[in-house]
Structures are given as C-alpha cells and as structure tokens.
C-alpha cells in the first residue's frame, strides 16, 4: 500500500493516512517497508482462529444488548435490512456469480 495511491483513492491528504497506517504498524496489523510503502502483516491460522473467537464473543454480546434495548424503529430497520439482504441473496443464486455495483 502506497500512501500516495491511497490518498488519491480515498480523496484524503497523505498525513492522516500515514498516521493511520503507522498506528496499524504499532498494533502489528501492518508492516512498514522502507521506501516501498506498507503491507498487510501476515497472520497465522491460530491468529485467525483467535480473532474469530474474540469477534464472536464481542458480536454475540453486542447483539444481545441490541435485542434487549432496541426500539421499535430499530426493530423495523432490522426487518427492512433482512428483506434487502434476502433480495440480494435470491439474485445471487440466479446464474453465474458476478459482482457489480448492485
């Protein structure tokens, strides 16, 4: 990942992008390569398993909290989102899988 390319792609100045990438370096998620930009850090199968386990713990608790505290408007938004995703899923099963703007 080159900062200049990311800057053009996202329409942001290079300073905040460089700062964000450097923070990701300190977290071990990205590697800095001298004069060549940044690369996503490799991850092991055990690392993916650990991340997945933590995500499941967090997302399960977050969902539980949302279900207990969600308003009727929130519930309506969930139903509408389910309907929209179901429509997309039906279209994906028709013919070859092609990713486009829809």
């Amino acid at each position: 990942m080159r900062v200049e390319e990311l800057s053009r792609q996202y329409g942001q100045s290079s300073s905040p992008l460089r700062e964000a990438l450097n923070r990701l370096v300190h977290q071990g998620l990205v590697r800095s390569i001298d004069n060549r930009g940044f690369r996503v850090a490799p991850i092991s199968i055990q690392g993916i398993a650990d991340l997945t386990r933590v995500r499941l713990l967090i997302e399960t608790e977050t969902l539980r909290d949302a279900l207990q505290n969600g308003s009727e408007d929130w519930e309506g938004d969930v139903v509408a989102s389910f309907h929209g995703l179901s429509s997309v899923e039906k279209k994906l099963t028709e013919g070859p899988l092609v990713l486009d703007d829809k």
Side-chain angles (χ1 to χ4, degrees), residues 22-101:
N22 282 317
R23 288 183 183 193
L24 292 172
V25 167
H26 290 292
Q27 293 176 2
L29 299 172
V30 171
R31 288 189 176 166
S32 176
I33 302 171
D34 291 336
N35 299 319
R36 296 189 62 208
F38 297 84
R39 286 195 162 218
V40 175
I43 188 167
S44 67
I45 292 174
Q46 184 59 47
I48 291 172
D50 290 344
L51 284 173
T52 301
R53 185 181 62 78
V54 170
R55 277 192 67 184
L56 285 172
L57 290 170
I58 292 169
E59 291 175 10
T60 300
E61 184 61 28
T62 302
L63 179 59
R64 183 178 293 114
D65 184 61
L67 290 170
Q68 290 173 351
N69 299 304
S71 66
E72 287 184 17
D73 287 341
W74 172 84
E75 187 176 345
D77 290 343
V78 170
V79 171
S81 295
F82 175 77
H83 176 72
L85 290 171
S86 295
S87 297
V88 169
E89 189 175 51
K90 287 177 188 174
K91 290 175 184 173
L92 287 177
T93 60
E94 298 171 2
L97 177 61
V98 177
L99 299 178
D100 58 19
D101 290 341

